[in-house]
Amino acid sequence: MRIQARLFAGLISLLPLPGFACDLALVLAVDVSGSVDATEYRIQMDGLAQGLRDGVVSEALVRAQAQVTLIQWSGQSRQEVSIPWTGIRDFEDVETLAQAIETAPRPWRNYSTALGEALVLGLTELARGPDCKRRVIDLSGDGYSNEGVEPEAVRPLLARADVTVNAIAIEQSEPELTSYFYEQVIRGEGAFVETAIDFRDYPEKIRRKLVREVARKTAGTLSPLDGRTADLQKFAQGRSDSAKDFQ
């Protein structure tokens, strides 16, 4: 516990002072633990890539001049940064990131579920990464933490660093996982859990999740003189179900 406390204190000291070179720093944290088979892994990665390509999501990322990184996580000491911080300046950058996610190799296949360790890695990357107004960890998982530091123990550190954690709970084998994520994992103003009944449900749910955490926040900062502001706000508030206004 003392080692963890020293680690947490060190992470806080690394966090930059407010300067805000961009609006959003987003950590995409994907579960690759042993409960995720090869087909389910492919569904996650392809679904995440398609979610980023959604017209509303990509529009919001460009407007935010977002910085995005991908981590893959499993058991204790088995989390890695698969795609380093990537700046989103235009739609070509979104496509480059989506393709990198689609082709990212899977680092592990048969290990435990260390949710807290994944959050620590996400916070570490935010501490080392760009100075953005909003810092968000987008975590997906299909099971309870069963190894390493408990996710609840990381929440005070996340609060001190003003990091928001949202989650997508894949309830294929754990029907109460959404409640667990609400109680133990997420934090921050407006933090939420999106529920996927199974992995087949994941692509649509991750798209909805990205819209909710990226587009809705960005819509509130757009200039009223922008002709597409109303369309983005309408979609982000759930009054539209497609990105056709942005095509």
Side-chain angles (χ1 to χ4, degrees):
M1 187 61 68
R2 292 179 180 177
I3 293 175
Q4 291 174 359
R6 290 198 295 270
L7 169 64
F8 291 174
L11 287 174
I12 287 294
S13 69
L14 288 173
L15 287 168
L17 296 173
F20 305 147
C22 67
D23 181 65
L24 174 67
L26 178 63
V27 177
L28 301 171
V30 177
D31 182 358
V32 296
S33 58
S35 58
V36 178
D37 67 25
T39 298
E40 293 162 351
Y41 174 77
R42 191 72 271 143
I43 290 173
Q44 281 193 102
M45 302 303 278
D46 291 349
L48 181 55
Q50 288 305 312
L52 292 170
R53 290 185 176 110
D54 179 272
V56 173
V57 175
S58 59
E59 176 86 7
L61 290 171
V62 172
R63 289 174 180 274
Q65 295 292 281
Q67 295 279 338
V68 185
T69 185
L70 173 76
I71 67 176
Q72 297 188 67
W73 62 272
S74 181
Q76 188 174 12
S77 301
R78 291 182 172 88
Q79 300 86 30
E80 73 163 29
V81 177
S82 298
I83 298 175
W85 287 109
T86 301
I88 305 298
R89 299 172 300 276
D90 52 38
F91 295 106
E92 290 185 2
D93 290 335
V94 176
E95 179 59 28
T96 297
L97 175 61
Q99 291 181 17
I101 290 172
E102 287 174 326
T103 58
R106 179 175 184 168
W108 302 284
R109 296 179 184 274
N110 298 308
Y111 292 96
S112 301
T113 301
L115 273 163
E117 305 289 335
L119 292 175
V120 169
L121 176 58
L123 180 57
T124 301
E125 290 308 303
L126 287 167
R128 295 170 176 167
D131 183 15
C132 297
K133 183 177 181 180
R134 293 187 288 136
R135 303 183 182 106
V136 178
I137 298 174
D138 177 331
L139 183 143
S140 64
D142 76 335
Y144 300 94
S145 189
N146 55 26
E147 189 172 85
V149 61
E150 288 295 325
E152 188 176 27
V154 188
R155 294 170 92 185
L157 179 64
L158 293 163
R160 289 175 60 190
D162 194 24
V163 172
T164 297
V165 179
N166 300 317
I168 179 167
I170 307 168
E171 293 192 335
Q172 182 160 299
S173 58
E174 301 290 353
E176 302 298 325
L177 191 60
T178 296
S179 297
Y180 173 78
F181 277 10
Y182 267 113
E183 294 169 1
Q184 304 288 331
V185 177
I186 68 168
R187 74 142 312 274
E189 182 180 357
F192 65 94
V193 181
E194 190 77 40
T195 302
I197 301 303
D198 54 30
F199 278 92
R200 291 172 298 178
D201 197 29
Y202 178 90
E204 173 57 20
K205 295 300 183 179
I206 192 63
R207 183 189 70 85
R208 287 169 55 88
K209 184 174 184 293
L210 288 167
V211 167
R212 187 171 176 180
E213 69 191 353
V214 176
R216 181 170 296 180
K217 293 289 186 179
T218 302
T221 66
L222 297 179
S223 165
L225 298 179
D226 190 309
R228 297 211 270 185
T229 299
D231 290 331
L232 181 55
Q233 289 173 332
K234 178 180 177 181
F235 187 93
Q237 291 166 6
R239 300 200 304 271
S240 174
D241 195 39
S242 74
K244 63 183 180 180
D245 293 327
F246 297 87
Q247 295 175 351

